[in-house]
Amino acid sequence: MNKDDRLLKAIDTLRQMAAGHDSITAIKYLPPQPGKFVEYPPDIHPRLVEALKKKGFSSLFSHQQEAWEKVRQGKNVVVVTPTASGKTLCYNLPVLDCILRHPSGRAIYLFPTKALSQDQRAELDETIELLQEEIRIFTYDGDTPQDARKAIRAQGHIIITNPDMLHTGILPHHTKWVKLFENLKYIVIDELHNYRGVFGSHVANVIRRLKRIAAFYGSKPQFILSTATIANPKEMAERMIEEPVELVDQSGAPSGEKYFIFYTPPVINPYLGIRRSYINEARRVAGIFLNLGLQTIVFAQSRLLTEVLVTYLKADIEKSLKDEGLIRGYRGGYLPLKRREIEKGLREGKILGVVSTNALELGIDIGTLDVAVLAGYPGTIASTWQRAGRAGRKAGRSAAVLVASSAPLDQFIVQHPDYFFSSSPEMALINPDNPSILLSHIQCAAFELPFEDGEKFGSMEIEEILKMLEEEQMLHHTGNKWFWTSEAYPADAISLRSISSDNFVVVDITEKPRVIAEVDFSSALTTLHPKAIYICEGEQYFVEEFNYEQRKAYVRKTEVDYFTDAIDYTNVKILDVFNQQDLPQGWVSHGEVHVTTRVVGFKKIKFHTMENVGSGELDLPENQMNTTSFWLTIPAEIYQTLPFTSDQRINGLFGLSYLLHNVAPLFLMCDRHDLGVAIGDNLTGQSMPPRELPRHRLPDDEKSRAFLSPDFSPNIFLYDRFPGGIGLSPALFEMSASLLRACLETIDACPCESGCPSCVGPVRESGEKAKPVARKILQQLLLAGT
């Protein structure tokens, strides 16, 4: 039986296994797509064409030619095509052509991960070897030896680096990089969709600094960007570089036929809505394909789950000593040599199955696999397609199976396949003008070069900020310039992954104490509290001590089957309403809010079933911030006429807030923890205490009476969990009707009776009638019938 027939047999076996439980919600057949090939344009350097033909690229795909033409016209370009469609050549072609014609030309390549940098470096090295031309490429990151750095600065034609190194290691030392900045022709930003939220907002400011320094040395580089499929690639690229960008999104690459299967674990407790463990189901699904000799990649959501699945599949597949090594794990934390060995084993077909974290999601060359099994929804449609694209390349038959967990987002996706397979609704969002982030990078920019009077930073007027920094004795104004006078080296103190520099340091004391992470102030109280399970790069750590004054958390490695979720008592006060929009009934708003949060306890949530398996009390200092929020207002006349008791109505509010909080990331490409949620009274402005608050810590009766008043008009807030906001809440406001419809569809599709982790939360937490009340509220707001 050939490989294509074995794949069809495996899919048939999977169908039979799932038949008794309706576990397969969709099988989407994606037909093969022929390639659109074009001849090399005559204006490409003939030696470059010759080298590429020797590599096996006898012609270009149509999107590669389109990108070439736009770049030749001096335009910035963003390329949006599927995994393995040859995006790399879209930027290597103009860069190598430029250096062949003008040997003094320089380029900077920005990649989000070291592994991807190494892979792209290998690709470039192959081409340059065939060119037999002295084009020097160097990787410049934290691993680059000190003694090599001087030569790189003087000789490198192409500098491959990452945003962190650009921020701390290159821009502050631009005087050592004169040759690079004087001759900088191209800046390549790969995997643009990874630069979103806080990180992306920082990177946009790093780009502002990069352009400012390039201009100082007399160069104006062109940008070539690439991204996975998102809803707003052109807008995102233009926000990132603050220049017009041309979109290239019609792929000319061929693709083989693919079966995309959505699988949800069967419900084993209909009343509580508890499903079978998705990890065990992923093991069973992967086993079907592996046992038929089909090369399979399984994506797990963490390092721990990666190792668990490797252990399971080794036991299932490696039946004898001669089969040892057929199943391997792949994740960050493995030594580079081991990772290269696994990549080679996959390319050569010696490894049958690999279980990986997202480390293999990006464009690392692992050859052509037959099947991708995704254990849990990766969190974004873009990531799902990238992982699924690891199976099946240009020809032949392949399959991808998404095994959903019990989380509402997973369940929404598998119950609404049309939503997934239509155009992507996900927007990558950044806010480079967040006041805290902007201030950090203005300090860095002033250190690098003095500001002149009237000079903008990107598109921002900054005179007031410069005056404030002068008052704090960081800048001195003389003549028409602002000079850096502080002894501090600002870039060192600023992490690109947090808003405030007032961060908590995480110290691993398992063996010799070592710092493993920094956590921004606003997140530390909810993720590093005593007895929390802190997860860093998939490893689990138990928080033994939380030292608030010293801003340190001491942790020890552990392996448990649960994670912790902080219970916080949050008061949200509306400061300003920027915008308001009527729904069929009720309304939604967007504005500035003041958030006061006190962590009062935590829950232990089981990984696979999302059950609450324990809790604890805490008493930590309160945290205050101003941020932006989206909120939904349910008018008193609608809320009070719901045919339920007052307690049941409140249960429904908690259920609806749980659902909104869990479904919102579907539209935002963000993590659930990037958003905070709270319930308040639109009339009095008071906030409702959390469900799990111990009785002795409830607010006095006077305050809680507002929520039982006949005038109670609930607000449900979803706010940016970062001071100043990072652009999430305005996007939610714009998409509010879609968000509410998605929540109603999630409730309607959920088979549980009274509430479960997949809709309004576990019934023991959400309370009696939470599901019908939440459904009724949504129906009333949308006038969606009953």
Side-chain angles (χ1 to χ4, degrees), residues 525-526 529 566-569 597-602 618-622 697:
L525 298 168
T526 53
H529 57 76
I567 302 165
D568 52 40
Y569 187 5
T597 302
R598 184 187 287 275
V599 176
V600 293
F602 65 93
L618 296 167
D619 190 9
L620 297 177
E622 67 178 27
R697 298 177 69 173

Side-chain angles (χ1 to χ4, degrees), residues 379 407-410 412 526 563-568 570 603 610 629-630 632 652-679 692 716-722 728 732 739-740 742-744 746-747 757-761 765 774 778:
L409 200 52
D410 288 47
F412 180 85
T526 53
F563 61 94
T564 48
D565 199 6
I567 302 165
D568 52 40
T570 300
K603 298 177 284 187
M610 305 293 282
S629 182
F630 156 84
L632 165 69
L653 288 178
F654 279 108
L656 180 54
S657 65
Y658 172 95
L659 184 57
L660 282 163
H661 191 202
N662 279 278
V663 171
L666 180 68
F667 300 91
L668 301 176
M669 289 188 87
C670 75
D671 188 87
R672 187 174 67 90
H673 298 291
D674 294 340
L675 288 167
V677 64
I679 302 170
E692 306 87 349
I716 299 179
F717 295 91
L718 285 176
Y719 58 87
D720 288 35
R721 242 189 179 142
F722 305 96
L728 302 179
L732 279 178
L739 172 64
L740 296 177
C743 288
L744 183 56
T746 302
I747 289 180
S758 301
C759 58
V760 298
E765 289 179 41
L778 288 167

Side-chain angles (χ1 to χ4, degrees), residues 496-681:
L496 298 188
R497 284 159 182 80
S498 64
I499 282 192
S500 158
S501 58
D502 189 14
N503 293 343
F504 280 75
V505 175
V506 184
V507 184
D508 176 13
I509 55 171
T510 312
E511 293 167 0
K512 190 179 172 187
R514 64 187 184 104
V515 174
I516 56 168
E518 273 191 40
V519 176
D520 62 275
F521 183 88
S522 55
S523 303
L525 298 168
T526 53
T527 55
L528 291 174
H529 57 76
K531 300 180 183 175
I533 299 298
Y534 175 68
I535 300 177
C536 176
E537 293 190 12
E539 295 275 8
Q540 292 176 306
Y541 298 87
F542 179 79
V543 179
E544 294 203 345
E545 184 190 345
F546 179 70
N547 190 319
Y548 184 81
E549 287 71 30
Q550 291 184 12
R551 302 289 195 264
K552 285 182 178 173
Y554 296 93
V555 302
R556 199 178 290 278
K557 276 190 184 177
T558 187
E559 285 193 13
V560 290
D561 64 348
Y562 67 88
F563 61 94
T564 48
D565 199 6
I567 302 165
D568 52 40
Y569 187 5
T570 300
N571 279 288
V572 179
K573 183 183 176 188
I574 298 168
L575 301 177
D576 193 7
V577 180
F578 301 151
N579 218 332
Q580 202 165 75
Q581 191 175 307
D582 287 338
L583 297 167
Q585 295 198 84
W587 60 92
V588 290
S589 311
H590 167 238
E592 186 180 5
V593 295
H594 180 75
V595 179
T596 308
T597 302
R598 184 187 287 275
V599 176
V600 293
F602 65 93
K603 298 177 284 187
K604 297 177 180 178
I605 309 292
K606 202 164 183 179
F607 269 123
H608 311 313
T609 61
M610 305 293 282
E611 292 170 90
N612 184 344
V613 291
S615 62
E617 281 192 42
L618 296 167
D619 190 9
L620 297 177
E622 67 178 27
N623 180 32
Q624 298 190 29
M625 67 172 175
N626 284 10
T627 186
T628 56
S629 182
F630 156 84
W631 63 94
L632 165 69
T633 304
I634 304 160
E637 57 270 24
I638 290 177
Y639 181 74
Q640 302 297 344
T641 55
L642 294 170
F644 301 95
T645 68
S646 57
D647 280 353
Q648 289 168 348
R649 289 200 289 267
I650 286 173
N651 293 345
L653 288 178
F654 279 108
L656 180 54
S657 65
Y658 172 95
L659 184 57
L660 282 163
H661 191 202
N662 279 278
V663 171
L666 180 68
F667 300 91
L668 301 176
M669 289 188 87
C670 75
D671 188 87
R672 187 174 67 90
H673 298 291
D674 294 340
L675 288 167
V677 64
I679 302 170
D681 178 17

Side-chain angles (χ1 to χ4, degrees), residues 362-381:
L362 302 176
I364 294 158
D365 182 15
I366 52 171
T368 306
L369 307 182
D370 304 311
V371 183
V373 176
L374 284 61
Y377 177 60
T380 67
I381 290 173

Side-chain angles (χ1 to χ4, degrees), residues 116-189:
L116 191 56
S117 301
Q118 287 159 351
D119 205 62
Q120 298 295 346
R121 164 81 194 264
E123 168 81 18
L124 270 168
D125 283 342
E126 274 180 40
T127 309
I128 287 161
E129 201 175 316
L130 291 166
L131 273 171
Q132 295 182 327
E133 187 74 29
E134 203 179 346
I135 296 176
R136 290 178 293 276
I137 304 163
F138 294 104
T139 303
Y140 195 82
D141 58 27
D143 296 339
T144 306
Q146 288 294 334
D147 56 355
R149 294 185 178 195
K150 190 174 179 183
I152 291 172
R153 290 194 286 261
Q155 298 170 16
H157 285 104
I158 298 172
I159 303 298
I160 297 175
T161 188
N162 55 62
D164 301 274
M165 198 63 182
L166 188 61
H167 160 59
T168 58
I170 296 178
L171 298 181
H173 307 290
H174 60 86
T175 52
K176 297 177 180 177
W177 293 86
V178 174
K179 214 163 189 180
L180 172 72
F181 287 114
E182 281 182 342
N183 299 287
L184 189 57
K185 299 289 187 275
Y186 292 106
I187 296 167
V188 171
I189 304 177

